[in-house]
Amino acid sequence: MSAGPVPDLVGRRVQVKVPATSANLGPGFDTLGLALALYDELEIEVLEGDALEVDVRGVGEGEVPLDASHLVVRSIAHTFARRGLGLPGLRLVARNAIPHGRGLGSSGAAIVAGVMAAKGLLEGVEAFDADDLLELATELEGHPDNVAPALFGGLTIAWVTPEGPRHKKLIVHRGVSPLVLVPEHEMSTALARSLQPESVPHSDAVFNVSRSALLVAALVQSPELLLAATEDKLHQAYRAAAMPETDRLIRALRAAGHPAVVSGAGPSILVLASDPSERAEAVRLVESAAETVWQSLPLAVDFKGATVAQLDG
Ligand code: HSE
């Protein structure tokens, strides 16, 4: 659809908040995701004409582009274009806390921020339901497992249908205490995905079907099953050579009984601990076994997902 005239939105201003996410959770490749209480927060205002001002503070400051190629701006433009609208002038201020390139859904968060900003700026002009939001975000991200929990919060199961991506949100058992361990180096999702084989043995597929089904039960109802439920044969072993320290630490954590997995495409580690004391044990183990510096982030599960609020002009 070609972009048409922009309705008079000048002066509209919204505030958007988007959580970090951890995708895959072990066996649930491209399907399961968890929203975590660490946020990027943005303010976006519509300006006259085609002016564009982008200011990034915190994570990414001095590194990400400040023009129309900025991912949040691209996501706003994509959402407007899908409704036949051209991009208006914008002022965008981002205060980012989600680490980049670490497997914590920073690109999904930027995309969701843009979709939610567009939804807020177009309030009363265009309507977006949950499926619309997920479809718009997945079109840019390529797979729905980070953008679904970023949009809706909690634990999400995402799947793709001929009509578009769909999701089911579940509330995580309050005994689950996530711990994220973040190394200093980054990992490219594109590189990680290029290490995946085209096909896998049928027995490995069956292995992951059983663990994924069990993982949903473990996260919602039976945290004591999390170690068995976080086993995986579909992606982590294929990617291990690209993040050897992540692989080594996950093996050490699991051998000590902690349900540790690669967070998303890595290189961060997610431990789905069952209580705060288990988190502390896992931190101590990583501090003693790691050869490089790892940051420990004990994070609550975010149950709300992305929010957008109108600000006075
Ligand atoms: N499911 C995705 C992957 C998550 O592992 O490649 C990272 O974007």
Side-chain angles (χ1 to χ4, degrees):
M1 194 185 289
S2 65
V6 185
D8 186 14
L9 306 175
V10 175
R12 284 198 180 190
R13 202 153 68 93
V14 293
Q15 189 171 50
V16 176
K17 185 173 171 183
V18 188
T21 52
S22 184
N24 301 331
L25 311 181
F29 184 71
D30 276 1
T31 301
L32 297 180
L34 188 63
L36 298 167
L38 178 69
Y39 302 93
D40 285 350
E41 298 186 55
L42 302 92
E43 280 184 24
I44 298 108
E45 180 178 354
V46 177
L47 303 179
E48 298 273 2
D50 58 3
L52 179 61
E53 299 172 17
V54 180
D55 181 14
V56 173
R57 302 175 196 170
V59 175
E61 186 172 339
E63 293 167 12
V64 300
L66 301 178
D67 56 18
S69 66
H70 186 277
L71 189 50
V72 178
V73 178
R74 278 171 46 208
S75 176
I76 297 172
H78 175 74
T79 306
F80 272 66
R82 292 282 269 105
R83 294 299 168 100
L85 300 169
L87 184 67
L90 292 176
R91 176 181 296 121
L92 183 156
V93 179
R95 293 180 202 86
N96 294 338
I98 304 173
H100 288 178
R102 305 298 207 292
L104 290 170
S106 61
S107 65
I111 289 166
V112 164
V115 171
M116 292 297 282
K119 173 182 186 281
L121 295 173
L122 289 169
E123 194 172 279
V125 179
E126 291 283 330
F128 298 86
D129 67 17
D131 287 347
D132 295 334
L133 299 173
L134 184 59
E135 181 167 22
L136 286 160
T138 303
E139 282 167 355
L140 286 176
E141 175 81 337
H143 40 88
D145 52 337
N146 284 107
V147 294
L151 277 165
F152 308 116
L155 167 67
T156 53
I157 304 170
W159 68 101
V160 178
T161 77
E163 290 74 44
R166 297 289 183 264
H167 83 285
K168 171 68 185 167
K169 172 180 174 178
L170 296 165
I171 300 302
V172 176
H173 192 287
R174 62 181 175 181
V176 176
S177 301
L179 167 69
V180 177
L181 299 151
V182 186
E184 286 181 313
H185 59 280
E186 298 189 11
M187 174 80 194
S188 132
T189 297
L191 170 64
R193 293 183 84 82
S194 74
L195 301 172
Q196 297 286 128
E198 281 295 314
S199 57
V200 296
H202 190 269
S203 56
D204 287 358
V206 172
F207 184 98
N208 269 57
V209 170
S210 66
R211 297 327 188 264
S212 304
L214 185 62
L215 181 53
V216 173
L219 282 169
V220 171
Q221 185 182 311
S222 309
E224 71 279 6
L225 292 171
L226 278 167
L227 186 62
T230 46
E231 292 180 301
D232 156 66
K233 290 196 178 184
L234 280 191
H235 64 103
Q236 293 177 140
Y238 297 109
R239 297 168 164 184
M243 37 185 152
E245 190 168 32
T246 297
D247 182 52
R248 189 170 62 74
L249 292 174
I250 286 177
R251 285 175 194 280
L253 285 161
R254 293 190 68 85
H258 304 296
V261 296
V262 178
S263 182
S268 296
I269 295 171
L270 172 70
V271 181
L272 291 167
S274 291
D275 58 57
S277 68
E278 186 186 352
R279 275 173 165 168
E281 278 172 39
V283 169
R284 277 196 296 277
L285 189 155
V286 167
E287 279 172 356
S288 65
E291 286 165 3
T292 60
V293 176
W294 288 67
Q295 186 190 5
S296 303
L297 300 175
L299 296 173
V301 175
D302 168 281
F303 289 107
K304 208 168 176 186
T307 56
V308 60
Q310 306 287 333
L311 297 173
D312 293 334

